[in-house]
Amino acid sequence: MAGAGGGSSDVQWCFSQVKGAIDDDVAEADIISTVEFNHSGELLATGDKGGRVVIFQQEPESKNQPQCSGEYNVYSTFQSHEPEFDYLKSLEIEEKINKIRWLPQKNAAQFLLSTNDKTIKLWKISERDKRPEGYNLKEEDGRYRDPNSVTALRVPVFRPMDLMVEASPRRVFANAHTYHINSISVNSDCETYLSADDLRVNLWHLEITDRSFNIVDIKPANMEDLTEVITAAEFHPNQCNTFVYSSSKGSIRLCDMRASALCDKHAKLFEEPEDPNNRSFFSEIISSISDVKFSHSGRYMMTRDYLSVKIWDLNMESRPVETYQVHEYLRSKLCSLYENDCIFDKFECCWNGNDSVVMTGSYNNFFRMFDRGYRQDVTLEASRENSKPRSVLKPRKVSTGGKRKKDEISVDSLDFNKKILHTAWHPLDNIIAVATTNNLYIFQEKLN
C-alpha cells in the first residue's frame, strides 16, 4: 500500500496505540462520533456522544527509538456541548459532536470548530506556562489591597509555572438550522465556513455569529414532495468560491458562489447511471452518499456510499474514474442489514497525504485501504488481540461461501455491532487513526 510519501506499494502497518476503556460494557456517552487531524498532524481531535472533545498531541520522536514516530498523548479534554431542550418544538437536542474541523494555525494558539445537531462553536486551545506576579493592588491569592497601604510601586513580572492547556469558547453560532447539522467545512479563505443540514447549506463568517447566508435550499414548498436530502458538504481545498454537496439519491452537486447568491442551480452534477442488473428494493438506500471529500490537490473528489468508494475527476461528471468495492459480500445480506438498521450506517472516508491511497471503514472492526496507483486493496482489523506494540497488522479476508480457507472469516460470522465509521489519515506521515465504538486505534507504518 502506498503511503503518504507515495511510491512504495508494500507499506506494512503496525499497531502503535489504543485509547479508551477496555470494558465490554460501553457507556453511550463514550462512543466516538468524529476524528480529525489538524493541518500539521501534530494534534488529533476526537468528539464523542457525550459532547466531549479530546485532543491528543504527538510527542517529539525519541532519540532512543528513531524508527518510531512520536506517540499521541492527551493534550486537552473539554466539554464542548451540553444537552439542550427546544421548548418550541418539544425536542431534546443531543450533545453528541457530529463534526470537528481545525482552522489553519496563524499564531501560537489553535482553533477548531465543533458542532452538534444545532449549534456550532469556535474553540481556542492555548498554552500557558507563565503567570504574572507582583501586582501593586492585588495580593498573590487574588485579594485586593487597600490603595492607601501601597507605599512603593512594583513592576509585575512573569514567573514560570506548570504548563496549562486552556480551551475557551470564542464564538457560538446558533439558531440557523431547522434540521440536524451533518457537515461543517472551513473555506480556503480562512474567513468563512459552511454548515449543512438535511435541506440547507449556510455560509458563515468566523467573526459574525448573529447571521449567516443561506446558499443552498432544497426544501420544497410542500414537504410531501420531498424526494432527497443533503447528506454532506465540503469546500474546495483551494478555490474559495467552489463547494460540493451530496444527496441521499447518490448525486453530487458542485456549486460556484460567483454565479449567484443562492446556489440552487449547480455548476456541475456528478451522477452515475444505475446498473439495471443491480436494481433492487434497497438500491436507493445504498446509493445514498454518506461522505464526500476533496483530494488535497483539489483535482479529485471521493464519495462513499454504503457498498463502495468512488473517485470522481472534477472535469468529468458522467461517471467516476475509479470505483472500489468496500464490502461487496454484503450485497446478499441487505435484507438483514435493513432489519437491524445497519443499512443506514454512515461510513466516512479519507485520503492519505498525497492522494495516492484512500481509506474507509467496514464492519467487524475492519477497515479498507485502496492504492490508486497500484490498484491494490487490503483489509485490516482494529482489535485488542493484535495490540502488542509494533505488531504488524495481518491482512484479513472474508469468505463469501464455499470452502473457507484457514485465515479467512465467514461473512456469516461478521459482527455488525463492531463498525468503523470514522477514520483519519495524518496529512504528512503514514499514521492513521481509526475509531471503533469507544476506542481510538492509532497505527503507523513499520519502519525497518
Side-chain angles (χ1 to χ4, degrees):
M1 297 301 303
S8 164
S9 66
D10 55 357
V11 169
Q12 280 192 307
W13 291 94
C14 66
F15 173 83
S16 176
Q17 293 169 275
V18 59
K19 308 287 186 184
I22 307 173
D23 308 342
D24 290 332
D25 195 17
V26 179
E28 180 81 6
D30 293 336
I31 296 174
I32 296 171
S33 53
T34 183
V35 182
E36 189 79 7
F37 279 103
N38 76 337
H39 295 271
S40 68
E42 184 198 355
L43 299 176
L44 172 62
T46 64
D48 63 26
K49 285 195 172 180
R52 294 177 300 252
V53 171
V54 181
I55 301 174
F56 301 93
Q57 183 183 41
Q58 190 175 24
E59 299 295 328
E61 293 185 19
S62 67
K63 289 183 178 142
N64 305 335
Q65 294 177 294
Q67 77 277 11
C68 302
S69 293
E71 292 195 334
Y72 284 84
N73 292 316
V74 174
Y75 178 64
S76 176
T77 302
F78 58 94
Q79 188 72 32
S80 173
H81 288 70
E82 301 279 0
E84 296 174 60
F85 192 79
D86 186 332
Y87 294 99
L88 291 174
K89 295 183 178 174
S90 295
L91 282 175
E92 285 186 23
I93 301 169
E94 284 186 334
E95 65 272 39
K96 173 192 162 198
I97 308 294
N98 290 344
K99 284 285 184 288
I100 290 172
R101 289 292 179 265
W102 292 91
L103 273 64
Q105 189 174 5
K106 292 182 176 173
N107 53 31
Q110 295 275 358
F111 289 86
L112 64 79
L113 288 168
S114 64
T115 184
N116 67 351
D117 285 340
K118 298 287 181 183
T119 305
I120 305 155
K121 295 184 181 181
L122 174 67
W123 290 88
K124 177 184 181 182
I125 293 94
S126 53
E127 295 182 355
R128 273 175 56 191
D129 60 357
K130 292 185 176 66
R131 61 192 173 93
E133 282 183 7
Y135 289 109
N136 289 286
L137 295 174
K138 211 161 53 169
E139 303 285 359
E140 299 306 332
D141 59 6
R143 286 180 298 125
Y144 283 95
R145 295 167 65 184
D146 178 6
N148 298 321
S149 68
V150 178
T151 56
L153 285 177
R154 294 184 291 180
V155 178
V157 292
F158 279 102
R159 299 260 186 249
M161 60 177 259
D162 291 339
L163 178 67
M164 191 165 73
V165 180
E166 293 178 315
S168 51
R170 302 312 297 262
R171 305 268 186 282
V172 177
F173 306 89
N175 306 321
H177 284 279
T178 310
Y179 307 98
H180 290 177
I181 297 170
N182 54 48
S183 303
I184 49 176
S185 177
V186 180
N187 198 346
S188 58
D189 64 11
C190 300
E191 287 189 351
T192 55
Y193 74 93
L194 65 75
S195 57
D197 65 22
D198 295 338
L199 297 178
R200 297 187 180 101
V201 179
N202 291 336
L203 179 69
W204 300 84
H205 194 285
L206 284 161
E207 299 290 329
I208 301 169
T209 60
D210 59 355
R211 66 182 179 274
S212 63
F213 295 98
N214 179 230
I215 50 175
V216 173
D217 188 347
I218 65 166
K219 184 182 179 187
N222 181 357
M223 283 296 273
E224 288 179 7
D225 299 332
L226 183 69
T227 58
E228 64 179 335
V229 294
I230 297 168
T231 55
E234 187 174 60
F235 265 120
H236 192 279
N238 44 46
Q239 294 172 10
C240 62
N241 54 283
T242 306
F243 69 94
V244 293
Y245 68 92
S246 59
S247 89
S248 56
K249 278 194 161 177
S251 59
I252 309 101
R253 291 171 175 85
L254 183 140
C255 302
D256 188 339
M257 292 193 294
R258 296 172 299 185
S260 65
L262 190 63
C263 299
D264 282 357
K265 290 189 174 65
H266 50 266
K268 290 187 176 185
L269 173 66
F270 299 86
E271 197 168 28
E272 185 176 28
E274 190 187 2
D275 181 357
N277 297 328
N278 284 335
R279 178 82 195 150
S280 74
F281 170 75
F282 306 107
S283 294
E284 196 164 308
I285 301 172
I286 62 172
S287 67
S288 175
I289 291 170
S290 55
D291 196 17
V292 57
K293 292 267 171 64
F294 278 109
S295 63
H296 297 88
S297 67
R299 170 71 188 269
Y300 299 98
M301 172 177 68
M302 166 169 51
T303 59
R304 172 72 155 96
D305 57 41
Y306 189 65
L307 292 179
S308 65
V309 167
K310 293 172 181 170
I311 312 287
W312 302 79
D313 187 321
L314 293 192
N315 300 324
M316 187 170 83
E317 301 159 60
S318 56
R319 58 189 168 81
V321 288
E322 298 159 35
T323 300
Y324 301 106
Q325 300 304 330
V326 178
H327 37 218
E328 183 64 18
Y329 46 78
L330 295 183
R331 195 176 285 278
S332 60
K333 303 277 177 198
L334 292 177
C335 195
S336 56
L337 290 164
Y338 178 75
E339 286 168 3
N340 64 16
D341 279 352
C342 284
I343 202 168
F344 302 107
D345 285 334
K346 291 178 168 42
F347 291 95
E348 294 174 8
C349 51
C350 63
W351 299 83
N352 73 337
N354 68 357
D355 305 331
S356 62
V357 183
V358 296
M359 175 171 65
T360 190
S362 180
Y363 293 104
N364 209 64
N365 283 354
F366 287 171
F367 58 99
R368 304 268 283 139
M369 288 184 184
F370 302 97
D371 188 313
R372 299 177 58 211
Y374 290 88
R375 294 288 169 164
Q376 293 176 333
D377 64 281
V378 67
T379 303
L380 301 171
E381 182 183 8
S383 79
R384 290 193 178 266
E385 274 73 68
N386 51 7
S387 58
K388 294 188 189 73
R390 312 283 154 233
S391 61
V392 175
L393 297 191
K394 291 187 182 131
R396 302 302 306 263
K397 282 203 165 47
V398 177
S399 84
T400 50
K403 253 190 151 180
R404 185 164 65 87
K405 291 180 189 164
K406 184 183 160 199
D407 292 335
E408 291 183 340
I409 181 167
S410 163
V411 68
D412 296 315
S413 58
L414 294 174
D415 188 343
F416 293 108
N417 292 317
K418 292 180 175 176
K419 57 191 87 166
I420 291 175
L421 302 177
H422 314 288
T423 60
W425 201 308
H426 191 292
L428 306 172
D429 298 327
N430 274 337
I431 299 173
I432 55 173
V434 170
T436 59
T437 313
N438 66 323
N439 293 129
L440 181 71
Y441 285 84
I442 298 172
F443 303 105
Q444 63 182 50
E445 179 185 0
K446 184 174 178 64
L447 302 169
N448 297 324

